[in-house]
Amino acid sequence: MKTSSYAVARMLGPWREGTGPAHQRLSDKLRLLVLDGRLTLGASLPSERDLATALGVSRTTVGTAYAALVEHGYLATRARARAIVRLPDRAPAPQPATPDAAAIDLSVAAPAAPGEILHAAFASALERLPRHLGQHGYHRSGLPELREAVAGWYLRRGLATTLDQILVTNGAQHAIALLARTLLAPRDKVVIDHPTYPHAIRTFTEAGARLLPVPLGPTGWDAAQLRAAARDADLAYLIPDFHNPTGLCMPTSMRRGLRLGCPTVVDETMADLDLDGTGPEPVAAHLPTAISVGSVSKSVWGGLRIGWIRAAPSLLARVVQARPATDLGTPVIDQLATATLLDQDLTRRPAALRQLAAQRDALLEALAAHLPDVDAPRPAGGLTVWAAFPTPLSSRLAAIAPDHGLVLAAGPRFGVGGAFERHLRLPYALPPDQLTEAVRRLAHARQALTRGATGSHAPATVV
Ligand SMILES: Cc1ncc(COP(=O)(O)O)c(C=O)c1O
């Protein structure tokens, strides 16, 4: 796969920040892009001349940076061929993101399962399974029982919904991928929140789409900017309910006026994680053409792998047509268990929400105590704090953190063009004592960076 000079320049973002000669800053930043997974292993880099032109530097600067990467094993070169991205295979080799079981993993924003509740749901599903055993078990739109239960979930949130408006998927990520496959052609333009959920970025990019990132401010979405970007777009993908990674929630007044002029996908994966009781009605209650994506991964357990799309039946028919290219349906027993959970309104459990709010508060308190210069706005819901450091250090922190018993996802994973190097997404899906310890380790890792230490850990899988 060829990576163009302009794509590399965009990923590099403001690479000149920092000290030392330009070629060293460039090779450091390219190395972090490799470690961070943004420069894919096996991809070919642009020629020295093309990258020098795109960056506005001399060919010598790029040549020296490439030579350093070759020397340390991050690039392979052959005569008259482009340099290929690789990882070093001898010391100092990149270590796995999780060096030992005692490391605290802050790359995953997902709760542990509520064991008893899941057990009961599967016991009930097993009892109802025999009714389905006489049939083939393939349901490309999902089991009617679960589609009814999802429609009930919308009704409880104030949005009347019929069974034929629901398609069951294998999680919300699958829903996003199916919609991308159905709605996008190469070179289509997709409006995204900036920052946003990393796997959506990846899905749209791999569909050949061009991304139109619209910045989220400290208080959230800018309606005028969204409308302006959407005028030129083929699709918009927004996360209005307890946004990942910022935790922001779009206010009702804005939901009412959300007419973007292009098909609009709203990802409601976090909708049930309303910690302060402020969650408004679904966007589709105000914008009937909205295509909604939902999931029980964050409200119950990611291991269920159940999500859905709520949309016009005509669009769902197109998605069903496209689906067999990727999969032939969702496991029946898991659908039956999820129907039980939804029918019993177990995706919003007050005790679980109180516990999550206590974890959020413990994380914010630890940040205030150990990293007082970090700006950490209090999210009204969801699973993550979007923390801003005073200086750009996120990728370097993520590369060094496992040496301090911590796994992090660097801020730029949540954006395009190398943005968010000052940010870290910090999930509060762990018990308070672990979160407090994680922040202590984070403060140590940051001190080590300040003393000039560097890390070479491979990127963690972000969820
Ligand atoms: C905004 C958002 N959408 C989709 C997903 C994927 O969810 P699922 O596990 O249901 O595929 C996530 C998971 O982190 C998410 O945060």
Side-chain angles (χ1 to χ4, degrees):
M1 187 179 69
K2 279 188 185 168
T3 313
S4 77
S5 55
Y6 293 99
V8 175
R10 262 200 316 278
M11 281 187 245
L12 282 167
W15 63 274
R16 288 165 200 263
E17 283 169 359
T19 51
H23 64 79
Q24 193 185 321
R25 275 175 280 154
L26 182 58
S27 70
D28 277 354
K29 193 73 208 251
L30 285 168
R31 181 179 62 87
L32 288 170
L33 289 177
V34 177
L35 286 171
D36 199 18
R38 278 175 286 158
L39 273 176
T40 318
L41 297 184
S44 61
L45 284 191
S47 69
E48 291 172 12
R49 186 202 319 239
D50 286 352
L51 187 57
T53 307
L55 297 178
V57 296
S58 74
R59 201 174 148 180
T60 318
T61 299
V62 177
T64 313
Y66 276 14
L69 291 166
V70 170
E71 188 191 336
H72 292 107
Y74 290 93
L75 280 186
T77 44
R78 275 174 299 133
R80 287 188 298 281
R82 286 167 157 234
I84 305 289
V85 175
R86 65 186 290 266
L87 283 171
D89 50 14
R90 55 176 197 282
Q95 298 135 39
T98 312
D100 61 61
I104 302 177
D105 191 349
L106 290 189
S107 65
V108 175
E116 279 182 26
I117 287 169
L118 263 193
H119 193 276
F122 272 93
S124 146
L126 261 183
E127 275 172 23
R128 283 176 293 139
L129 186 64
R131 263 185 266 152
H132 297 271
L133 296 180
Q135 302 157 23
H136 50 60
Y138 293 90
H139 300 271
R140 279 192 291 163
S141 299
L143 277 189
E145 289 94 315
L146 178 54
R147 295 163 75 201
E148 282 287 6
V150 174
W153 181 80
Y154 279 105
L155 190 58
R156 283 196 293 283
R157 296 175 63 223
L159 178 61
T161 299
T162 53
L163 177 146
D164 62 351
Q165 288 176 291
I166 302 296
L167 178 124
V168 174
T169 63
N170 306 331
Q173 175 58 27
H174 182 221
I176 297 166
L178 285 173
L179 287 169
R181 176 179 274 272
T182 309
L183 295 172
L184 292 177
R187 303 195 61 71
D188 275 358
K189 294 183 189 152
V190 179
V191 172
I192 53 166
D193 301 326
H194 204 219
T196 192
Y197 169 59
H199 300 306
I201 294 181
R202 186 141 181 204
T203 301
F204 297 137
T205 308
E206 285 190 3
R210 289 171 292 169
L211 298 176
L212 305 177
V214 176
L216 278 178
T219 54
W221 292 258
D222 179 325
Q225 279 200 58
L226 268 181
R227 268 196 295 275
R231 216 170 282 140
D232 199 24
D234 302 282
L235 190 75
Y237 167 79
L238 311 178
I239 313 175
D241 294 80
F242 313 119
H243 177 265
N244 181 3
T246 64
L248 287 162
C249 188
M250 187 183 281
T252 302
S253 55
M254 193 171 169
R255 291 174 189 238
R256 284 204 188 107
L258 201 67
R259 301 264 178 285
L260 292 185
C262 68
T264 302
V265 174
V266 288
D267 184 336
E268 301 179 330
T269 295
M270 302 283 179
D272 279 318
L273 304 184
D274 179 1
L275 298 184
D276 295 341
T278 51
E281 286 177 327
V283 165
H286 306 286
L287 178 69
T289 55
I291 302 161
S292 311
V293 165
S295 168
V296 293
S297 292
K298 310 298 165 164
S299 56
V300 186
W301 192 40
L304 274 170
R305 307 308 310 136
I306 300 275
W308 55 82
I309 303 170
R310 179 195 186 277
S314 55
L315 171 60
L316 294 185
R318 289 170 56 202
V319 177
V320 166
Q321 282 292 322
R323 182 170 188 167
T326 61
D327 73 291
L328 295 172
T330 302
V332 169
I333 184 98
D334 303 34
Q335 293 191 67
L336 290 171
T338 306
T340 303
L341 293 164
L342 286 167
D343 283 340
Q344 297 179 3
D345 201 10
L346 289 173
T347 58
R348 273 185 191 218
R349 301 178 307 285
L353 292 178
R354 276 196 299 277
Q355 187 186 329
L356 195 56
Q359 291 168 193
R360 169 193 61 185
D361 296 345
L363 174 63
L364 292 175
E365 271 168 34
L367 285 168
H370 298 287
L371 291 162
D373 61 344
V374 168
D375 180 26
R378 184 175 191 273
L383 282 164
T384 56
V385 167
W386 186 234
F389 286 71
T391 52
L393 78 184
S394 193
S395 300
R396 287 184 296 136
L397 253 186
I400 200 175
D403 292 333
H404 298 266
L406 190 63
V407 182
L408 297 173
R413 303 282 287 271
F414 299 84
V416 294
F420 308 121
E421 198 49 270
R422 279 199 316 117
H423 287 81
L424 259 191
R425 185 193 71 169
L426 298 172
Y428 44 87
L430 296 171
D433 57 334
Q434 284 193 45
L435 291 171
T436 307
E437 176 57 23
V439 172
R440 258 193 231 117
R441 295 180 188 187
L442 179 58
H444 286 148
R446 186 208 193 171
Q447 278 164 10
L449 267 192
T450 318
R451 290 194 302 270
T454 54
S456 59
H457 288 272
T461 306
V462 181
V463 176

